[in-house]
Amino acid sequence: MSVSLTLLVTGALLCAVGGVLLLMRALTRILVGAVILSNGINVLLLAASGPAGSAPLLYPRIDPARVSDPLPQAIALTAIVITLATTAFLLAIAYRSQRVNGTDEVMDDIEDRRIALRAEVQEQRSALREQHGPRGRGPEGDRDAYRTERRRLRGVLREDRALQARARDASGDLWNDILGEDPSDRETPEGAAR
C-alpha cells in the first residue's frame, strides 16, 4: 500500500492550522479552525484508506483486492455531516455573542478568575505564615506587619465577593437579562405596525 505524500502533508498542515485557530479567543476564528481541522482529518482518513480502486460493489468477476475500502469513505461522510452541525452551532453562538456583547471574543470565566485569585491569596497567606509564624508570633515576625498584610488579603477576597454579587444582580427584565435585547429598542420605520 502506498500513501500519497502530498495528501499526508496537506492533511497535517490543515490539522495544524485548524488546531492553532481553535486556540484563538475570537469565535469566528474558532469556527474557521473547526472547519479546517475537520477537513484535515477527512483528508488524512482518505489518505490512510489506500489507493483508489473500483467501486465497492462485489460482482462475480471483480477482484476483491482491486476494490476500494468503503469504511473510510463512510466515516468521512459522517464526519462531514457532524462538521456541518458543529459549524451551524458555532455560527449561532458567534452571532449571538456579537449581538449581545458587541464582540465575538470569548471572555474569561468569572468563576475561573475567582478560583485563581483564591489560590493566589492562599499562596500569599502561606508565605506570610512562613515569614511571621502562626498568627504573627514567630521569632522574626512583626505582629503589626502581619496583621496589616492579613487585612489586605481579606480585603482582596471581600472585593472579589462584592464583584461576584454585583455580577449576579439582574434587573428582572427577561429580554435584557437573558436574551440581551429588548424588541422595543429596535427602530421601526414610520407608520409600520408593531
Side-chain angles (χ1 to χ4, degrees):
M1 179 175 117
S2 66
V3 178
S4 172
L5 183 63
T6 307
L7 282 179
L8 287 178
V9 170
T10 303
L13 185 66
L14 286 173
C15 288
V17 170
V20 168
L21 285 174
L22 279 176
L23 297 175
M24 299 290 174
R25 295 182 71 86
L27 282 171
T28 51
R29 291 183 181 166
I30 292 172
L31 170 71
V32 171
V35 170
I36 290 174
L37 179 67
S38 67
N39 287 335
I41 291 172
N42 288 340
V43 167
L44 288 176
L45 269 174
L46 293 176
S49 68
S54 57
L57 302 172
L58 298 178
Y59 291 117
R61 292 184 212 127
I62 293 182
D63 180 21
R66 298 192 58 182
V67 173
S68 63
D69 187 11
L71 184 62
Q73 297 171 14
I75 291 174
L77 186 60
T78 305
I80 290 170
V81 173
I82 292 170
T83 301
L84 178 67
T86 305
T87 302
F89 179 69
L90 287 173
L91 192 59
I93 289 176
Y95 175 75
R96 184 68 193 147
S97 176
Q98 179 69 30
R99 295 289 291 187
V100 170
N101 300 329
T103 180
D104 68 340
E105 189 159 319
V106 178
M107 299 296 169
D108 287 338
D109 187 20
I110 294 174
E111 191 65 28
D112 286 345
R113 280 191 268 161
R114 188 175 187 188
I115 290 170
L117 178 66
R118 284 189 167 271
E120 182 181 322
V121 167
Q122 290 297 333
E123 287 176 11
Q124 290 176 2
R125 277 186 180 171
S126 2
L128 190 63
R129 281 190 205 112
E130 287 177 12
Q131 180 183 3
H132 295 282
R135 301 188 183 267
R137 296 184 182 135
E140 57 186 86
D142 181 11
R143 193 171 173 98
D144 292 332
Y146 175 81
R147 286 183 177 172
T148 305
E149 184 64 19
R150 179 100 175 170
R151 278 190 210 114
R152 186 190 70 78
L153 292 174
R154 280 191 204 137
V156 167
L157 288 178
R158 275 194 205 110
E159 288 175 12
D160 181 57
R161 285 188 199 119
L163 177 68
Q164 293 295 318
R166 283 193 303 271
R168 281 190 222 114
D169 287 342
S171 66
D173 184 13
L174 175 71
W175 283 101
N176 288 330
D177 292 341
I178 297 173
L179 302 175
E181 182 179 8
D182 191 357
S184 63
D185 292 343
R186 294 185 185 165
E187 295 181 22
T188 57
E190 294 291 328
R194 283 191 162 180

